[in-house]
Amino acid sequence: MIITYKQTDGTVEQVSTNDLSAIESADIEEAMGGTAWRVVEDQLRGQDPTAMRAVLWASRKRAEPTLRFGDVDVPGWRRRLKARLEREEVDDVLENLMAEALAASEDSAIEAMLPHLRKLAENKGDIEAALDALGKGHLVKAPAGSED
C-alpha cells in the first residue's frame, strides 16, 4: 500500500508499506494496540485514518526517533490522506479472483471487483496490465462515468 498525505503547503508525503522494516511494522502493530499486521493491511484498504497515520508515524520516526504516535496528527485527513494499492497488490487480488472465476467459468467475480480496484490503485494502468497478464484484457474498459 502507498499512503499519500497532501500537506497544507501542497507538498506530498508518500510512504509505501513495502519499504517498512519488520521493526517498523511491529511498532505500528503495537501503536495500534496490538493489532495484527494483516488487520492493519485490511484497515489501510478501508482508508482507516489511524492505520494510515501509523504508517506515516513509522516513516517519520526514521528522521525523528523520539516521535510519539500520539503526536502525529493529520488535519483534514478525509480529503488529504489516501491509501492506494501498488501493482503487486493488484496482481494478488486479480490472481485470487481469477482462480475463483476459473473455478466457476465466469468473469463476474473479476468484473465485480474492478470498480473497487480502480478506485484503490495508485497507478490506474496497473489494472489494465494485471488483467492483460491474466489473459483477461477484454475486461479492461472502465464503465462510463467510473472516473475517479
Side-chain angles (χ1 to χ4, degrees):
M1 299 286 294
I2 294 177
I3 311 307
T4 304
Y5 175 50
K6 186 174 182 182
Q7 299 178 13
T8 54
D9 66 1
T11 59
V12 176
E13 182 177 0
Q14 207 169 48
V15 180
S16 171
T17 57
N18 288 337
D19 295 333
L20 294 173
S21 72
I23 291 172
E24 289 169 329
S25 297
D27 287 347
I28 290 169
E29 291 174 327
E30 184 179 324
M32 293 184 60
T35 303
W37 183 254
R38 69 184 180 294
V39 175
V40 173
E41 287 181 318
D42 288 342
Q43 291 173 334
L44 289 170
R45 284 184 205 93
Q47 307 301 304
D48 180 84
T50 303
M52 291 186 286
R53 186 172 62 98
V55 172
L56 290 177
W57 165 73
S59 174
R60 289 175 182 177
K61 275 186 55 133
R62 294 171 185 160
E64 195 179 335
T66 60
L67 182 64
R68 294 179 343 180
F69 180 56
D71 292 338
V72 175
D73 193 11
V74 185
W77 73 270
R78 285 189 185 271
R79 68 181 180 283
R80 297 177 27 209
L81 188 62
K82 303 272 185 253
R84 295 292 182 247
L85 298 175
E86 294 185 71
R87 171 64 194 269
E88 176 182 297
E89 293 156 322
V90 170
D91 284 342
D92 288 345
V93 169
L94 286 175
E95 284 175 17
N96 289 335
L97 288 172
M98 183 68 167
E100 291 174 20
L102 287 174
S105 298
E106 58 184 56
D107 290 339
S108 61
I110 296 170
E111 289 172 326
M113 183 57 80
L114 285 177
H116 184 65
L117 285 174
R118 285 186 178 104
K119 181 178 178 185
L120 286 179
E122 174 70 14
N123 179 347
K124 305 303 181 204
D126 286 347
I127 304 298
E128 179 178 337
L131 285 169
D132 282 341
L134 289 172
K136 292 293 183 179
H138 63 281
L139 299 175
V140 167
K141 190 170 205 160
S146 67
E147 296 301 313
D148 174 33

